[in-house]
Amino acid sequence: MVPAERRLRVDVDDDDLIVTAARVRAVMSQLGDGLVVTAGGDCGVELEPVATARRKYGDRLVVLWFDAHGDLNTQASSPSGAFHGMVLRALTGEGPEGLVPEEPIRPWQIVLAGVRDLDQAEVAFVEASGVRHLGVTDSVALVDAVASAGLDRGQGGRSENPDHGLGLGTENSDRGSGLRTEGSSRGLGLGTEESSRGSAIGVEKSSRRQGGGIEEKVVYLHIDLDVLDPEMFGSVGTPAPGGLRPDQLLELVGALAERFEVAGLGIVEYEPARQEDQELLAPLVDRLVRICART
């Protein structure tokens, strides 16, 4: 599904997430300029692509987390023991040994968009840390959140869309934060008929946008497909009602790509279940990649 000039496959190790992360990191080191598309797989595969963007862009980077869930649990706060429910927290420096980047992203570099199912511990982290939470929002608010990221650092987190709240979930909604490898074999996907197994990174040549100076923000877009409303797209493992329509997602991503350079794009958590979902997803993925690559 992913239009790309080059595809690199990463074989996953279901029994060792640290080994898989190292393999992804090795592939990332082979890449040059251009948009990197990580096709998953569960959210855990985003650890190294986001960490690579952090090393490259430093404090200019803002991570847009399009997801029904926050993925902000720790090993202590999660009952399920699945790493894909803790990967964003690990990216901030709190995670299992071997699954924490050398240069963590800072909470003020994170914007949660479409997130509507947070556990109590995740709510507490968002409110205390400086993570911005927009719920289901409009493009103007989203672009503003990225542009102003870091300007109010140290003032704690806040919800930019209080009507949607922080979406407290159930005890199982967090999708875990331990080291169980549930679902990790879904890997990073090639965007081919074999994409539900193994892992790969697609690279699309990008005409890099010139910023307005060294402080111009660069965005990494993480898209967990459960950010979509399950009434329209149901091939995900942990659906949550009240999500985005595909056209809304395209509008939001388009507004971001128009304003900022896109450092990377992750499309994850596809669990093929219905033919109509694949028929919806194929053109959606194509549009998302082309929008971010500005082609």
Side-chain angles (χ1 to χ4, degrees), residues 178-219:
L179 287 176
R180 193 175 67 197
T181 58
E182 173 188 13
S184 65
S185 64
R186 295 196 299 276
L188 295 180
L190 261 179
T192 70
E193 64 275 10
E194 296 180 348
S195 65
S196 63
R197 299 187 181 278
S199 84
I201 297 173
V203 182
E204 178 75 29
K205 182 181 291 184
S206 171
S207 55
R208 302 175 69 85
R209 297 176 59 80
Q210 298 299 314
I214 62 172
E215 294 303 318
E216 182 73 6
K217 299 297 190 297
V218 177
V219 297

Side-chain angles (χ1 to χ4, degrees), residues 9-255:
R9 186 178 183 87
V10 182
D11 292 327
V12 301
D13 185 332
D14 284 340
D15 297 319
D16 197 327
L17 296 178
I18 296 174
V19 167
T20 296
R23 290 174 180 173
V24 178
R25 184 165 58 250
V27 167
M28 296 298 298
S29 69
Q30 302 175 30
L31 304 176
D33 290 337
L35 176 67
V36 177
V37 180
T38 304
D42 65 39
C43 294
V45 303
E46 290 276 62
L47 179 71
E48 292 300 334
V50 175
T52 298
R54 173 70 172 96
R55 289 192 297 272
K56 182 174 183 178
Y57 295 101
D59 287 352
R60 293 177 59 204
L61 182 71
V62 177
V63 178
L64 260 294
W65 206 256
F66 284 103
D67 202 312
H69 312 89
D71 300 340
L72 287 167
N73 270 286
T74 65
Q75 290 173 279
S77 69
S78 169
S80 69
F83 180 66
H84 65 159
M86 64 178 288
V87 59
L88 187 54
R89 186 68 167 266
L91 281 162
T92 70
E94 295 184 74
E97 185 177 357
L99 293 172
V100 174
E102 293 183 2
E103 298 181 37
I105 59 174
R106 305 181 188 188
W108 55 262
Q109 293 179 275
I110 299 170
V111 178
L112 305 178
V115 173
R116 55 197 182 276
D117 197 359
L118 292 175
D119 296 310
Q120 187 66 57
E122 293 179 302
V123 171
F125 179 76
V126 168
E127 291 179 341
S129 67
V131 169
R132 290 197 173 194
H133 173 264
L134 278 74
V136 177
T137 187
D138 62 82
S139 58
V140 174
L142 194 59
V143 168
D144 179 69
V146 174
S148 60
L151 297 182
D152 56 352
R153 66 187 69 173
Q155 297 181 13
R158 55 196 175 109
S159 172
E160 306 291 341
N161 196 345
D163 290 341
H164 290 89
L166 291 181
L168 289 177
T170 66
E171 63 180 8
N172 293 320
S173 68
D174 69 313
R175 303 179 307 170
S177 62
L179 287 176
R180 193 175 67 197
T181 58
E182 173 188 13
S184 65
S185 64
R186 295 196 299 276
L188 295 180
L190 261 179
T192 70
E193 64 275 10
E194 296 180 348
S195 65
S196 63
R197 299 187 181 278
S199 84
I201 297 173
V203 182
E204 178 75 29
K205 182 181 291 184
S206 171
S207 55
R208 302 175 69 85
R209 297 176 59 80
Q210 298 299 314
I214 62 172
E215 294 303 318
E216 182 73 6
K217 299 297 190 297
V218 177
V219 297
Y220 186 100
L221 298 177
H222 160 89
I223 299 176
D224 182 329
L225 292 169
D226 67 19
V227 76
L228 299 173
D229 194 294
E231 291 188 2
M232 303 193 70
F233 184 84
S235 290
V236 295
T238 50
L244 298 172
R245 300 188 312 272
D247 62 301
Q248 288 179 305
L249 178 61
L250 286 170
E251 178 187 357
L252 294 173
V253 171

